[in-house]
Amino acid sequence: MKIDIIGDIHGCYNEFVQLSRKLGYLWDKGIPIHPNDRLLGFVGDLTDRGPNSLKVIEIVWELWKKKLAYYVPGNHCNKLYRYFLGRKVQITHGLESTVAELDLCTAKQQQHYRNIFIELYENSPLYLVLNNQNLIIAHAGIREDYIGLYNKKVQTFVLYGDITGEKHADGTPVRRDWAKQYHGRPWIVYGHTPVTNARFIGHTVNIDTGAVFGGKLTAVRYPEMDIFSVKSSMPYVPEKFKTFE
Ligand SMILES: [Mn+2]
């Protein structure tokens, strides 16, 4: 299979359109379609913080519905899903921008976004195992021994990363660098932790290059493993980018 997997979009719709064009996708039919039957993949965190979260939901849902794209949820998707279900969630950490977009919609439009997002979320696996187990797409990555498991522990890892339960001085959770411990054969494509450039460690690649923090929106072409990026138009927030020793 040939698939182009896109990192955390977080409502950066314009960057998504540009990146898909750079990858050779055509928008004649209102959604990005590749002339040579390539598919799109999304590592999750479609929404929050950026300017056009609802448009991103709409396009990803339509692609997914037409079987032109794969999607796995991120932690922001999980929170938006719980919000749509009417659960008590804090409207913070970027969810406030998606909710603000919804507040500007008619009741009918709100219902539409709720319906399509719930449909997309409920019918998508926690992580994807593709191409004869040669490719795994998981929002924050996955440990080799978790592949094939779908329990609560795995869910936490896949959505939030290898968190220790501790917090940094600024209140953000401490995340272990799981990719360094990964020696598996399948390629793991993930996002979640913004890095300046796509980060390859063994058969893993982090393609969250912080589009919403003024970095880049990045895609990896599978199986070629070529990186494509477009510069973000958002203001640059350097402290959001993780640097590794
Ligand atoms: Mn995330």
Side-chain angles (χ1 to χ4, degrees):
M1 77 182 303
K2 292 184 173 177
I3 179 167
D4 301 315
I5 306 147
I6 296 184
D8 306 40
I9 300 175
H10 283 300
C12 294
Y13 177 76
N14 293 339
E15 286 81 351
F16 167 53
V17 173
Q18 275 184 43
L19 180 58
S20 65
R21 288 218 168 99
K22 197 167 177 175
L23 289 160
Y25 289 75
L26 305 174
W27 284 74
D28 314 1
K29 296 195 170 103
I31 51 170
I33 298 178
H34 201 279
N36 306 120
D37 296 328
R38 297 189 69 100
L39 299 174
L40 283 168
F42 296 92
V43 300
D45 282 4
L46 303 177
T47 65
D48 295 3
R49 293 196 178 103
N52 289 303
S53 291
L54 300 181
K55 261 173 139 172
V56 177
I57 292 175
E58 183 87 49
I59 297 296
V60 172
W61 171 79
E62 202 175 328
L63 286 167
W64 167 82
K65 194 84 180 157
K66 296 193 158 105
K67 300 201 185 304
L68 295 170
Y70 288 98
Y71 157 85
V72 294
N75 52 310
H76 287 262
C77 306
N78 171 271
K79 197 178 183 191
L80 179 61
Y81 172 68
R82 288 182 287 125
Y83 171 81
F84 276 138
L85 291 184
R87 306 244 183 95
K88 234 183 128 92
V89 297
Q90 285 193 12
I91 319 277
T92 54
H93 299 293
L95 181 58
E96 67 279 11
S97 66
T98 305
V99 169
E101 279 188 57
L102 285 163
D103 284 343
L104 293 173
C105 293
T106 64
K108 202 177 158 187
Q109 288 169 325
Q110 287 178 9
Q111 202 54 42
H112 167 73
Y113 288 117
R114 181 181 182 272
N115 289 345
I116 65 173
F117 189 77
I118 288 178
E119 185 188 14
L120 174 67
Y121 188 95
E122 290 187 346
N123 290 288
S124 298
L126 210 43
Y127 57 92
L128 280 157
V129 181
L130 299 172
N131 204 30
N132 247 329
Q133 298 189 41
N134 281 302
L135 171 64
I136 289 163
I137 306 174
H139 178 63
I142 190 166
R143 272 166 48 169
E144 191 176 12
D145 58 331
Y146 283 178
I147 298 170
L149 303 177
Y150 294 87
N151 58 42
K152 195 78 201 165
K153 232 166 121 175
V154 176
Q155 179 179 329
T156 302
F157 193 102
V158 162
L159 290 180
Y160 302 96
D162 196 359
I163 49 173
T164 62
E166 298 153 87
K167 295 204 162 152
H168 293 293
D170 66 353
T172 58
V174 174
R175 295 174 192 165
R176 280 192 211 98
D177 192 7
W178 68 273
K180 273 191 183 155
Q181 294 357 293
Y182 179 80
H183 303 291
R185 183 189 49 86
W187 272 101
I188 314 249
V189 177
Y190 70 107
H192 187 57
T193 303
V195 285
T196 306
N197 295 301
R199 179 178 184 245
F200 285 89
I201 303 273
H203 275 189
T204 74
V205 60
N206 178 358
I207 55 168
D208 180 7
T209 48
V212 81
F213 298 121
K216 299 180 279 195
L217 185 65
T218 292
V220 63
R221 287 218 121 133
Y222 177 91
E224 300 89 339
M225 301 312 283
D226 293 331
I227 295 291
F228 286 69
S229 296
V230 295
K231 228 194 121 11
S232 163
S233 61
M234 299 290 287
Y236 182 48
V237 191
E239 61 271 24
K240 294 291 183 183
F241 292 78
K242 171 110 174 105
T243 47
F244 292 91
E245 52 295 328

Coordinates of all heavy atoms in Angstrom, one line a residue, residues 8 10 45 74-76 139 159 175 191-193 208, ligand 1:
D8 N 0.0 16.0 13.4 CA -1.0 16.7 14.1 C -1.4 18.0 13.4 O -0.5 18.9 13.3 CB -0.5 17.1 15.5 CG 0.0 15.8 16.3 OD1 0.7 15.0 15.7 OD2 -0.3 15.8 17.5
H10 N -4.2 20.1 14.2 CA -4.7 21.1 15.2 C -5.4 22.3 14.5 O -5.1 23.4 14.9 CB -3.6 21.5 16.1 CG -3.2 20.5 17.1 ND1 -4.1 20.1 18.1 CD2 -2.0 19.9 17.4 CE1 -3.5 19.2 18.9 NE2 -2.2 19.1 18.5
D45 N -5.3 14.3 16.6 CA -5.2 15.7 16.9 C -5.5 16.6 15.7 O -4.7 17.4 15.3 CB -3.9 16.0 17.7 CG -3.9 15.6 19.1 OD1 -4.9 15.0 19.5 OD2 -2.9 15.9 19.8
G74 N -6.2 11.2 18.5 CA -5.2 11.7 19.4 C -5.9 12.1 20.7 O -7.1 12.0 20.9
N75 N -5.1 12.5 21.7 CA -5.7 12.9 23.0 C -6.7 14.1 22.9 O -7.7 14.1 23.5 CB -4.6 13.3 24.0 CG -3.6 14.3 23.5 OD1 -3.1 14.1 22.4 ND2 -3.3 15.3 24.3
H76 N -6.5 15.0 21.9 CA -7.4 16.1 21.7 C -8.7 15.6 21.1 O -9.8 16.1 21.4 CB -6.8 17.2 20.8 CG -5.8 18.0 21.6 ND1 -6.1 19.2 22.1 CD2 -4.5 17.7 21.9 CE1 -5.0 19.7 22.7 NE2 -4.0 18.8 22.6
H139 N -1.1 7.7 17.7 CA -0.9 9.1 17.9 C 0.4 9.5 18.6 O 1.2 10.3 18.2 CB -2.1 9.6 18.7 CG -2.0 11.1 19.0 ND1 -1.9 12.0 18.0 CD2 -1.8 11.7 20.2 CE1 -1.7 13.2 18.6 NE2 -1.7 13.1 19.9
L159 N -2.5 7.4 23.4 CA -3.0 8.8 23.4 C -2.1 9.8 24.0 O -2.0 11.0 23.5 CB -4.4 8.9 24.1 CG -5.6 8.2 23.5 CD1 -6.8 8.3 24.3 CD2 -5.8 8.7 22.0
R175 N 7.3 12.9 29.9 CA 7.1 11.8 28.9 C 8.5 11.2 28.7 O 9.4 11.9 28.4 CB 6.6 12.3 27.6 CG 5.2 12.9 27.6 CD 4.9 13.5 26.2 NE 3.7 14.4 26.3 CZ 3.3 15.2 25.4 NH1 4.0 15.4 24.3 NH2 2.2 15.9 25.6
G191 N 2.9 11.1 16.3 CA 3.0 12.6 16.4 C 3.0 12.9 17.9 O 3.8 12.4 18.7
H192 N 2.2 13.9 18.3 CA 1.9 14.2 19.7 C 2.9 15.1 20.3 O 2.5 16.0 21.1 CB 1.7 12.9 20.5 CG 1.3 13.2 21.9 ND1 0.1 13.8 22.2 CD2 1.9 12.8 23.1 CE1 0.0 13.9 23.6 NE2 1.0 13.3 24.1
T193 N 4.2 14.9 20.2 CA 5.2 15.7 20.8 C 5.9 16.6 19.7 O 6.6 16.0 18.9 CB 6.3 14.9 21.5 OG1 5.6 14.0 22.4 CG2 7.3 15.7 22.2
D208 N 5.1 15.1 14.1 CA 4.5 16.3 14.7 C 5.5 17.4 14.7 O 6.3 17.4 15.6 CB 3.9 16.1 16.0 CG 3.2 17.4 16.6 OD1 3.1 18.3 15.8 OD2 2.8 17.4 17.8
Ligands
MN1 MN -1.5 14.9 21.1

